[in-house]
C-alpha cells in the first residue's frame, strides 16, 4: 500500500451506490482459497462469453441495445451524434431531462438501419459501431443533464449527457459540470478500463476511447443532484468536463460552478481553466469526493484519454506539465489541495469494511462551527451530527490540528491556510502518504479525516465550498443537507458573496420560487411527446439486468474496483 502511483487500491463501483460499504483486497499475501475463488469468478465475469452488447462487469448487462455519444461538444440547437448497437434495425432514443418522470416531457427520435455490433476484448480504444446518427437538439431546449433512453422493443439502455447552452450563462449563472472522463475511466466496454478489476486479464489500459458507453450507475449522483435542483426551482445550466477542457472562456460566463459525485480525472487544461476562473472571482461548490486525483491528457481529437498512473511508464515522463500521475506526486508536484482545498490522500474510505473490521460505518459530519452561514436554518449546533447518508464511499480531507478545541488546517499539504473547517468525518486513509493505510502521522489523531469547509485559493479569489464526499447527493432529501446545499447555492451564485435577497431571478441562477422542498420547476423541454424519424447506416441495443446473480457473487468474493 502507500502513495506509490503504480499501486492499486479498492473502491466499490456498482450500478447504484447511494451509501455503500466498501472492502479492500489486501495487496499482501492472499490465501489460495481467495485466489481460486477470484479466478473462478473472473472466468465468468471477465470472459466475453455472455453474448452481450454492453457488460459493465457490475451486474448491469445489456444484450439487446446499447449506445454512446460521440466525443464532440453537445449543445442546444446543434446535432448530437450517437452510435448504437442493436439486435433489431429499428430503434428509438427517448430524451428527457434527468429526474423528470413526466411522460409528456419526453422527446422521441426514431431511427432505422442499426447494426448489431458486439464489442471485442480489444476494442476499448475505439468501438467503431458503424456510422453515427444525428439527434438534432431543438434550439428551445434548456441546458441541463439529460437522459438518453435507447429502445428497440426488446430492451433498453440509458446514457446521460450534459447539454451545453448555445449562449453560456444567459439562462443561469449556475453551472453544473459532469464528470465524463472519470466515468469513461471506469467503463470496461471494449474489454478494458483504466482499472484491472474489470479489465480483461486483470490488466488496465493506459489509453481508452472516450467514445464508449459509460453505464447508468455512474450517473447516480448527477441524476440525484439535478433532480433536486429542479424540484427546488433552482435554475442551472450544464456542461461537460470536456467542454471545460476545450474552452478556456467557458467558466467566465458563470458565478458558481458545481462539481458533483466522483470527479477524479482532470487534464491540465481543465485544472488551469478551473483555477483561472476562481482567481478571477468565480465561486465553486464541490459536492464530490476523490476529486482531481489523476492528471490525464487527450489525443488531438479528444477521442482518446491517456493516463499511465506511473511516470516511468509514460512516454512524456520528462514533461512535468503533461506526465500522467497523481497531481500531488513527482514530477508534477501540484497538489490538488491548491485547487480544491482537500485531498483523498488525507481522507479515504468511509463506510468501509476490511475482513471482520468495520471502518466508520454510518458516520455523518460532526459540526465544528455552527455559526457559519452554511448552517443557517439547519438547527445544528457544535458537535451536532448530520448527513449519515452523505458520507462515503470516498471522502477528501485537509491536514489539521486542534487549537483551543477547534480544527485548524496545517497547510503543509497545499491546502490554503484560510480554509475554514466547518465539519469533519473520520475516514480510513487507504492512500496515506505514510505508506501505512489508515495512519496519517501529521494529521489530527494520526488518521484520515474528511473535512467539510470553505476557502479561497488566494486572497482575491472567489469562494469555494467543499463537501468532500461522493455521496452528498444521496442525502439531499435530508432537511439539514438540503438546507446546507441551498445556503451554499444562494450565497455563491453571486460573485460578491453578499447575502442574497429572498427572491431570485433567472439570470442569477434561481427562480422566483425561494426553494420550498415541495416546490417544483419541471423545466420541460417540450409540451408533449415529439417524434422525429431519421435514418442512417450503422449503429443498436437492449438490456438484460443480471444484478441479482452478479451482485451476489460480488458480495461473496468481495470484489471491488481498484483505486489505481
Amino acid at each position: 500500500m502507500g502513495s506509490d502511483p503504480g499501486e492499486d487500491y479498492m473502491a466499490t463501483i456498482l450500478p447504484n451506490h447511494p451509501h455503500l460499504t466498501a472492502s479492500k483486497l489486501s495487496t499482501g499475501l492472499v490465501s489460495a482459497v481467495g485466489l481460486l475463488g477470484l479466478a473462478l469468478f473472473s472466468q465468468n465475469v471477465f470472459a466475453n462469453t455472455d453474448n452481450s452488447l454492453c457488460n459493465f462487469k457490475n451486474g448491469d448487462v445489456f444484450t439487446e441495445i446499447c449506445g454512446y455519444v460521440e466525443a464532440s461538444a453537445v449543445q442546444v440547437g446543434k446535432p448530437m451524434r450517437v452510435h448504437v448497437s442493436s439486435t433489431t434495425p429499428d430503434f428509438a432514443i427517448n430524451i428527457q431531462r434527468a429526474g423528470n418522470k413526466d411522460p409528456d416531457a419526453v422527446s422521441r427520435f426514431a431511427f432505422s438501419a442499426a447494426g448489431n455490433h458486439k464489442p471485442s476484448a480489444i476494442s476499448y480504444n475505439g468501438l467503431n459501431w458503424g456510422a453515427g446518427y444525428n439527434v438534432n437538439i431543438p434550439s428551445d431546449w434548456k441546458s441541463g443533464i439529460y437522459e438518453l433512453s435507447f429502445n428497440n422493443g426488446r430492451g433498453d439502455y440509458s446514457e446521460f449527457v450534459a447539454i451545453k447552452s448555445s449562449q453560456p450563462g444567459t439562462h443561469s449563472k449556475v453551472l453544473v459540470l459532469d464528470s465524463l472522463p472519470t466515468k469513461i475511466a471506469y467503463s470496461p466496454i471494449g474489454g478494458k478500463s483504466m482499472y484491472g478489476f474489470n479489465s480483461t486479464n486483470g490488466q488496465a489500459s493506459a489509453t481508452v476511447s472516450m467514445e464508449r458507453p459509460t453505464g447508468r450507475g455512474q450517473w447516480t449522483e448527477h441524476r440525484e443532484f439535478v433532480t433536486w435542483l429542479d424540484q427546488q426551482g433552482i435554475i442551472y445550466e450544464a456542461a461537460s468536463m470536456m467542454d471545460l477542457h476545450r474552452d478556456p472562456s467557458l467558466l467566465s460566463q458563470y458565478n458558481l460552478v458545481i462539481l458533483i459525485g466522483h470527479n477524479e480525472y482532470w487534464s491540465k487544461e481543465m485544472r488551469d481553466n478551473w483555477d483561472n476562473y476562481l482567481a478571477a472571482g468565480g465561486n465553486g461548490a464541490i459536492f464530490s469526493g476523490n476529486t482531481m486525483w489523476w492528471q490525464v491528457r487527450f489525443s488531438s481529437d479528444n477521442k482518446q484519454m491517456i493516463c499511465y498512473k506511473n511516470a516511468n511508464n509514460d512516454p512524456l515522463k520528462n514533461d512535468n506539465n503533461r506526465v500522467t500521475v497523481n497531481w500531488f506526486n513527482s514530477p508534477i508536484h501540484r497538489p490538488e489541495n491548491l485547487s480544491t482545498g482537500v485531498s483523498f490522500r488525507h481522507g479515504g474510505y468511509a463506510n468501509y469494511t476490511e475482513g471482520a473490521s468495520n471502518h466508520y460505518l454510518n458516520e455523518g459530519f460532526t459540526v465544528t462551527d455552527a455559526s457559519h452561514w452554511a448552517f443557517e436554518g439547519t438547527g445544528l449546533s457544535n458537535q451536532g451530527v448530520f448527513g449519515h447518508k452523505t458520507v462515503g464511499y470516498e471522502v477528501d480531507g485537509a491536514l489539521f490540528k486542534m487549537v483551543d478545541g477547534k480544527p485548524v488546517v496545517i497547510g503543509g499539504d497545499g491546502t490554503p491556510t484560510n480554509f475554514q473547517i466547518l465539519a469533519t468525518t473520520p475516514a480510513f486513509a487507504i492512500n496515506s502518504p505514510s505508506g501505512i493505510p489508515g495512519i496519517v502521522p501529521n494529521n489530527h489523531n494520526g488518521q484520515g479525516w474528511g473535512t467539510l469547509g470553505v476557502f479561497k485559493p488566494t486572497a482575491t479569489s472567489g469562494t469555494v465550498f467543499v463537501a468532500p464526499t461522493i455521496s452528498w447527493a444521496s442525502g439531499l432529501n435530508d432537511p439539514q443537507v438540503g438546507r446546507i446545499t441551498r445556503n451554499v447555492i444562494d450565497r455563491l451564485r453571486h460573485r460578491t458573496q453578499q447575502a442574497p435577497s429572498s427572491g431570485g431571478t433567472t439570470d442569477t441562477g434561481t427562480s422566483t420560487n425561494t426553494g420550498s422542498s415541495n416546490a417544483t420547476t419541471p423545466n420541460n423541454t417540450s409540451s408533449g411527446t415529439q417524434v422525429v424519424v431519421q435514418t442512417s447506416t450503422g449503429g443498436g441495443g437492449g438490456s438484460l439486468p443480471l444484478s441479482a446473480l452478479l451482485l451476489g457473487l460480488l458480495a461473496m468474493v468481495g470484489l471491488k474496483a481498484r483505486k489505481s
Side-chain angles (χ1 to χ4, degrees), residues 248-302:
S249 67
L250 173 65
L251 301 190
S252 66
Q253 307 302 315
Y254 298 95
N255 294 340
L256 173 62
V257 177
I258 299 175
L259 306 181
I260 299 167
H262 194 182
N263 204 328
E264 183 177 351
Y265 289 77
W266 290 58
S267 68
K268 181 180 185 296
E269 289 83 357
M270 293 171 187
R271 183 169 182 183
D272 286 350
N273 293 337
W274 167 264
D275 286 351
N276 291 338
Y277 160 76
L278 296 177
N283 299 320
I286 301 175
F287 302 102
S288 168
N290 193 212
T291 304
M292 204 180 286
W293 186 243
W294 295 107
Q295 171 164 267
V296 302
R297 59 181 184 269
F298 295 91
S299 58
S300 58
D301 60 3
N302 292 323

Side-chain angles (χ1 to χ4, degrees), residues 86-210:
S86 173
T87 56
T88 66
D90 297 331
F91 70 96
I93 303 177
N94 298 318
I95 304 181
Q96 190 168 22
R97 196 172 177 89
N100 187 345
K101 299 303 181 183
D102 181 358
D104 290 331
V106 178
S107 294
R108 184 173 184 268
F109 299 81
F111 300 90
S112 62
N116 187 350
H117 310 281
K118 289 184 172 62
S120 72
I122 56 172
S123 58
Y124 50 90
N125 280 334
L127 293 180
N128 192 26
W129 282 2
Y133 299 87
N134 282 335
V135 178
N136 295 312
I137 301 172
S139 59
D140 61 347
W141 281 22
K142 298 296 188 293
S143 171
I145 304 291
Y146 283 78
E147 180 177 2
L148 282 60
S149 179
F150 299 81
N151 187 284
N152 66 357
R154 294 181 176 180
D156 54 41
Y157 169 74
S158 287
E159 270 289 331
F160 291 80
V161 64
I163 300 181
K164 186 179 70 168
S165 172
S166 58
Q167 296 179 301
T170 57
H171 182 61
S172 173
K173 293 299 182 183
V174 176
L175 179 69
V176 172
L177 287 171
D178 72 7
S179 54
L180 183 61
T182 300
K183 301 178 197 310
I184 288 291
Y186 281 92
S187 173
I189 303 304
K192 289 188 183 295
S193 72
M194 288 188 162
Y195 295 85
F197 82 99
N198 62 358
S199 294
T200 53
N201 303 319
Q203 297 295 315
S205 176
T207 303
V208 295
S209 172
M210 291 296 293

Side-chain angles (χ1 to χ4, degrees), residues 367-371 382 400-408 421:
V367 177
T368 59
D369 187 355
S371 66
N382 286 342
F400 71 92
K401 60 184 178 180
M402 298 300 291
V403 178
D404 297 328
K406 294 284 187 181
V408 177
I421 297 176

